[in-house]
Amino acid sequence: MNYSSNWALRLLTIFLIIGAFNITNAQNLKGVVTDTSGALLENVGIFNQTSGQHSHTNLSGLFSLPSSQINDSIYFSNLGYKTFVLVVNQNHLSEGVEVILEESSINLDQVVVVSKVDAMSRIVNVDIQNDPVKSSQEILRKVPGLLIGQHAGGGKAEQIFLRGFDIDHGTDVAISVDGMPVNMVSHAHGQGYADLHFVIPETIDNINFGKGPYYADKGDFNTAGFVDLNLKKSIDKSMLSYEAGQFNTNRFVGLFNILESSKSDAYIASELYLTDGPFDSPQNFNRINILGRYHYKDIGKEELTLTASHFQSKWDASGQVPQRAIDQNIIGRFGAIDDTEGGQTSRSNLMLNHTKFLGEEQFLKTRAFVSKYDFELFSNFTFFLEDPVNGDQIRQYEDRTIMGAETVFEQINIVVGENDTFKYSGGIGFRNDNVDDVTLEHTLNRKTVLEQYAFGDVDETNVYGFVNGEYKTGNWTFNPSVRVDYFNFDYENKLSNLYDNKSESKAIISPKLNTLYALNRNWQLFLKTGMGFHSNDARVVTANEGRDVLPKAYGVDFGTIIKPVDKLVLNATLWGLFLDQEFVYVGDAGIVEPSGKTRRVGVELGGRYQLSDWLYLYSDVNYTYARSTEEPDGEDYIPLAPDFTAVGGLSITDLGNFSGNLNYRYLGDRAANEDNSIVAEGYFVTDLNLNYSIKNWTVGIIVENLFDTEWNETQFATESRLFNETASVEEIHFTPGTPFYLRGKVSVRF
């Protein structure tokens, strides 16, 4: 009996020693990650192959990884660097570790699929680095499933399609540049108008995006998703580039380093773009961009970025043309019914982004911005429908000042118990739009004002706050958050003989919950749920006495990202999105009208394959079923909502001195009106670019629409009347897509 008891006691003692040993040795592994030059690296992915714990380096290149033990294998991964594997020893746990990553060409080997809400953004940045954007239009196309179209000359913001939305110019996707909003509330042309032409493509560092209303730091217009462009804080070398091609196209770009020191960098960038386009009436398009950026970083203390930019553009346009005018040989595909359309616009921005390090794992992030913006657009959608003598040309104009600020406190790596971690952030901010002389009027030849339809001043303010948490336990990540927004809408009608000023206000609460499960470092499952909203135009809000001010959106995503082998990443998502109110832009009146509740459900599939070090393939396919919920079957189509889209291509990098890309995009046929009696035709278009580099010189060719496909870029079901018609006709009106378009390019870095 005593013998058995002694052995039981010995076994118990052994188990206690083992348990104590595990508890003692399950520690936080801390350290710093740099490149070979000693520069600190942010957002390096860190994964413990043994325990499944994962983390990322912070703004100072520092990291903390809980539940680390001797002999654990820790993976350090970052785009553009070789993956490093660290086997933990006692010195690492007691003294910390310094990891040095070596640079290498960008490929999928460097991607680790862990529980990050924005995991797809990180993966798509491989696409961006392998295939840098070559024009302003290509910036948004980098988001999987997002397509765009131009329909009034190169200076107007593009029409956007995403997740079964014809978003017009931005009503249901929130777009920003380094945190500064691009969407314009209560815009003269359309709610949410988002013009990205003030961004010089060569200054883009990466794109952060998310689909659905699941992100607490994104507010107005974040229903179908958001896109945030991040600009380069500094540049390695100065660069000069010149492009020339068909249609009298010339483009000059310059990036110049003007300051380099241990703590500070500064550069300026400029762009001049001139083209007539393929149209019978030349576009006479010109765009000028200039940007200056200063970056200061005192490691472990603070980081500051100051940005100033100015953009201006002017153009003529052929507008949308009716199919019957081409069928009757009145005009050709690239002709015009009213070639006096066009416009001009400018935007000047001043941005501040500041991070204060309150400790190794506490940060205070502040951003502020002010923009001066003006816009003038002449359009003619219906030709001679309303005025058979002078035509139906309209002028839309505004003069706007935007200002705003946001401050966010962030605490990371709070250890809960032995294995769990928690982080949170909370922020407050505001945005004010002061819009003077918002105008809609009937004009003739851009000169004579025949009638004023609307004229007034808008003052709109959005004050908001949000709290965002992230709790990791084992392989699970829970991300609850909530956002509160308050809006005040003020509109003064200056057409009234008396003082006519109306004001309305509204608040909304938007809760969200994202749940992620990492089966291993290369397989993620996620379930995202949340509420979002888009605001209505202040003129509509005040006219409707506060009804339909902030229509809600309810979303759910269920999906997976998996990397079955080192060189292959696959993703799949099932999603649904339900809106309390849809908005439709009425072109002939230049207003936005509500059109009821809608539902969208869809599936997204994507794949990226690193066939070799120099060859990269990718493709994304999307299907959406979009319908109005308040109309009878057969009359419930959402006009121009895309149901099937696909994009993809291949990239060649470092194949000797050669590099290049071959890309395609496909948009299927879709209903142009509510009963599908008018159909907008789909298209399949392929683009190509090839480059040859020797020393610091690069020469290349850029070909849009390689196979010279005849396609309609944007299409609308519009009722119009031509000058020789006695009755109106409703049919497809379209802007023809670019034909085969060849440009040559030469650039030098120094």
Side-chain angles (χ1 to χ4, degrees):
M1 186 73 179
N2 290 337
Y3 181 80
S4 300
S5 298
N6 288 338
W7 270 109
L9 182 60
R10 290 176 183 175
L11 286 172
L12 178 60
T13 302
I14 291 171
F15 286 134
L16 289 173
I17 291 172
I18 293 174
F21 180 82
N22 286 336
I23 293 172
T24 302
N25 288 276
Q27 303 175 37
N28 274 354
L29 176 68
K30 294 188 175 183
V32 63
V33 182
T34 69
D35 64 15
T36 53
S37 70
L40 299 170
L41 298 179
E42 179 187 352
N43 267 327
V44 176
I46 304 165
F47 186 86
N48 188 323
Q49 180 70 27
T50 308
S51 68
Q53 291 288 332
H54 46 86
S55 183
H56 288 79
T57 55
N58 64 23
L59 295 169
S60 296
L62 301 174
F63 72 90
S64 177
L65 187 66
S67 303
S68 300
Q69 301 185 47
I70 294 173
N71 294 325
D72 283 359
S73 295
I74 314 296
Y75 286 74
F76 295 81
S77 302
N78 199 30
L79 285 184
Y81 297 88
K82 293 180 181 178
T83 298
F84 178 80
V85 182
L86 173 75
V87 179
V88 178
N89 60 39
Q90 183 59 51
N91 288 337
H92 296 146
L93 293 174
S94 58
E95 300 176 8
V97 60
E98 179 180 358
V99 174
I100 301 174
L101 298 185
E102 296 181 17
E103 292 187 17
S104 71
S105 59
I106 292 174
N107 59 66
L108 284 179
D109 291 347
Q110 300 152 7
V111 172
V112 176
V113 180
V114 293
S115 291
K116 292 288 292 182
V117 176
D118 61 350
M120 275 307 299
S121 283
R122 298 172 182 271
I123 293 168
V124 168
N125 276 323
V126 178
D127 303 359
I128 296 168
Q129 300 300 325
N130 280 313
D131 181 17
V133 293
K134 296 172 287 296
S135 69
S136 297
Q137 285 188 310
E138 284 193 63
I139 295 171
L140 292 175
R141 284 191 194 135
K142 292 300 181 181
V143 177
L146 191 153
L147 295 178
I148 59 173
Q150 179 57 259
H151 62 248
K156 186 179 175 183
E158 282 77 28
Q159 185 178 6
I160 302 171
F161 303 95
L162 178 67
R163 282 202 162 181
F165 281 85
D166 168 17
I167 296 175
D168 195 39
H169 299 290
T171 310
D172 285 283
V173 60
I175 301 174
S176 59
V177 175
D178 279 329
M180 180 184 70
V182 177
N183 303 77
M184 299 288 183
V185 298
S186 304
H187 188 270
H189 181 68
Q191 178 70 340
Y193 187 89
D195 184 355
L196 269 172
H197 293 145
F198 69 89
V199 177
I200 301 172
E202 286 80 0
T203 64
I204 296 174
D205 187 32
N206 58 67
I207 298 179
N208 185 33
F209 68 87
K211 298 180 186 178
Y214 312 123
Y215 314 96
D217 58 337
K218 311 299 177 186
D220 200 4
F221 307 118
N222 176 212
T223 55
F226 78 89
V227 182
D228 187 17
L229 307 184
N230 299 306
L231 305 183
K232 295 175 180 177
K233 295 178 180 178
S234 60
I235 58 175
D236 295 331
K237 293 183 178 181
S238 298
M239 184 269 286
L240 281 172
S241 176
Y242 171 62
E243 293 177 24
Q246 292 176 273
F247 316 128
N248 292 327
T249 298
N250 291 274
R251 181 173 182 259
F252 304 84
V253 177
L255 277 73
F256 304 98
N257 258 323
I258 58 174
L259 175 65
E260 288 183 281
S261 68
S262 59
K263 291 185 178 181
S264 301
D265 298 278
Y267 71 91
I268 59 174
S270 59
E271 176 194 40
L272 172 63
Y273 183 37
L274 308 167
T275 187
D276 285 338
F279 302 94
D280 296 343
S281 297
Q283 283 191 2
N284 300 312
F285 173 81
N286 69 77
R287 180 174 72 228
I288 299 173
N289 266 313
I290 186 166
L291 173 143
R293 178 158 257 217
Y294 171 77
H295 176 237
Y296 171 84
K297 188 170 186 178
D298 189 354
I299 296 171
K301 294 183 179 180
E302 64 178 332
E303 182 177 23
L304 171 69
T305 303
L306 291 173
T307 308
S309 66
H310 175 73
F311 147 80
Q312 63 186 44
S313 182
K314 187 176 181 179
W315 68 97
D316 297 326
S318 298
Q320 299 138 36
V321 296
Q323 183 62 50
R324 66 186 185 278
I326 298 169
D327 295 340
Q328 297 170 19
N329 293 319
I330 297 174
I331 59 173
R333 271 182 57 81
F334 294 94
I337 302 299
D338 180 356
D339 63 0
T340 65
E341 295 188 44
Q344 58 186 353
T345 185
S346 70
R347 179 168 181 165
S348 299
N349 307 300
L350 183 63
M351 294 187 287
L352 177 149
N353 288 274
H354 180 259
T355 299
K356 179 67 176 178
F357 298 81
L358 304 178
E360 285 188 8
E361 296 169 347
Q362 291 183 340
F363 313 95
L364 191 66
K365 300 178 181 179
T366 300
R367 64 177 175 87
F369 58 88
V370 59
S371 290
K372 189 69 175 70
Y373 170 85
D374 65 70
F375 173 87
E376 183 180 38
L377 180 69
F378 294 89
S379 307
N380 190 342
F381 304 106
T382 54
F383 311 125
F384 295 91
L385 177 67
E386 303 295 335
D387 188 337
V389 176
N390 298 301
D392 299 346
Q393 184 182 89
I394 59 171
R395 173 180 179 258
Q396 294 167 313
Y397 172 84
E398 68 169 57
D399 180 10
R400 177 185 301 249
T401 301
I402 315 167
M403 63 178 62
E406 177 185 275
T407 296
V408 179
F409 173 80
E410 184 174 345
Q411 168 77 60
I412 64 174
N413 290 330
I414 303 172
V415 179
V416 181
E418 296 179 11
N419 301 313
D420 304 343
T421 59
F422 179 69
K423 71 176 183 179
Y424 69 92
S425 61
I428 56 173
F430 79 93
R431 169 182 173 172
N432 174 261
D433 288 67
N434 184 277
V435 197
D436 294 331
D437 299 335
V438 184
T439 303
L440 173 64
E441 55 194 15
H442 182 197
T443 57
L444 175 64
N445 293 324
R446 290 205 198 183
K447 296 191 177 295
T448 305
V449 177
L450 302 175
E451 182 181 1
Q452 276 195 313
Y453 300 137
F455 181 58
D457 293 342
V458 171
D459 192 280
E460 185 171 331
T461 301
N462 173 207
V463 180
Y464 61 86
F466 63 87
V467 177
N468 188 45
E470 187 175 288
Y471 177 65
K472 294 182 180 180
T473 176
N475 294 347
W476 291 91
T477 300
F478 299 97
N479 172 215
S481 61
V482 65
R483 181 184 177 96
V484 180
D485 285 86
Y486 170 83
F487 284 81
N488 181 262
F489 305 86
D490 188 277
Y491 179 64
E492 179 187 351
N493 179 12
K494 297 167 76 171
L495 288 181
S496 174
N497 292 325
L498 302 175
Y499 178 66
D500 183 7
N501 189 86
K502 295 180 179 179
S503 183
E504 297 288 345
S505 61
K506 188 77 171 181
I508 188 170
I509 299 175
S510 306
K512 304 139 192 307
L513 175 62
N514 303 317
T515 303
L516 303 95
Y517 181 76
L519 285 82
N520 52 54
R521 74 187 186 98
N522 288 321
W523 193 355
Q524 175 195 116
L525 299 172
F526 58 84
L527 176 65
K528 302 179 182 180
T529 58
M531 289 171 51
F533 67 95
H534 59 197
S535 64
N536 203 346
D537 189 292
R539 292 162 290 184
V540 178
V541 169
T542 54
N544 291 343
E545 298 180 341
R547 296 189 300 274
D548 299 325
V549 178
L550 304 172
K552 295 178 181 177
Y554 309 86
V556 59
D557 277 36
F558 175 68
T560 185
I561 306 171
I562 183 171
K563 187 179 179 184
V565 294
D566 283 345
K567 298 182 182 298
L568 177 66
V569 175
L570 304 171
N571 64 280
T573 305
L574 295 171
W575 62 271
L577 188 62
F578 306 87
L579 267 68
D580 275 349
Q581 186 62 266
E582 192 83 21
F583 292 120
V584 173
Y585 180 71
V586 183
D588 56 352
I591 61 173
V592 175
E593 288 185 348
S595 63
K597 298 181 179 180
T598 62
R599 70 175 183 275
R600 290 170 172 84
V601 293
V603 59
E604 299 174 343
L605 302 172
R608 281 149 181 83
Y609 184 42
Q610 192 80 49
L611 189 62
S612 67
D613 289 340
W614 58 270
L615 183 58
Y616 175 75
L617 309 175
Y618 75 96
S619 184
D620 293 285
V621 178
N622 304 269
Y623 175 77
T624 302
Y625 180 84
R627 293 292 187 271
S628 170
T629 61
E630 298 180 322
E631 302 296 334
D633 289 346
E635 299 177 12
D636 56 352
Y637 289 86
I638 301 174
L640 301 177
D643 53 12
F644 187 79
T645 65
V647 297
L650 60 86
S651 299
I652 297 172
T653 56
D654 300 327
L655 181 60
N657 294 340
F658 287 95
S659 63
N661 312 95
L662 180 68
N663 303 319
Y664 74 87
R665 59 189 183 276
Y666 172 78
L667 176 63
D669 293 350
R670 59 204 189 279
N673 59 355
E674 289 79 0
D675 62 5
N676 199 26
S677 60
I678 302 176
V679 175
E681 294 182 357
Y683 58 79
F684 184 96
V685 178
T686 306
D687 299 329
L688 169 73
N689 78 288
L690 290 174
N691 300 294
Y692 180 83
S693 300
I694 180 168
K695 295 184 178 180
N696 57 333
W697 289 87
T698 300
V699 295
I701 60 169
I702 302 167
V703 183
E704 295 185 32
N705 194 359
L706 177 64
F707 301 110
D708 199 20
T709 300
E710 186 176 288
W711 62 293
N712 297 338
E713 187 162 13
T714 53
Q715 302 172 72
F716 302 88
T718 305
E719 182 183 3
S720 67
R721 183 167 62 179
L722 302 178
F723 64 91
N724 61 346
E725 293 178 330
T726 57
S728 63
V729 177
E730 184 181 19
E731 66 168 353
I732 287 291
H733 292 53
F734 67 91
T735 300
T738 303
F740 180 91
Y741 180 17
L742 174 66
R743 306 192 300 276
K745 177 179 179 180
V746 59
S747 63
V748 59
R749 296 182 180 274
F750 53 95

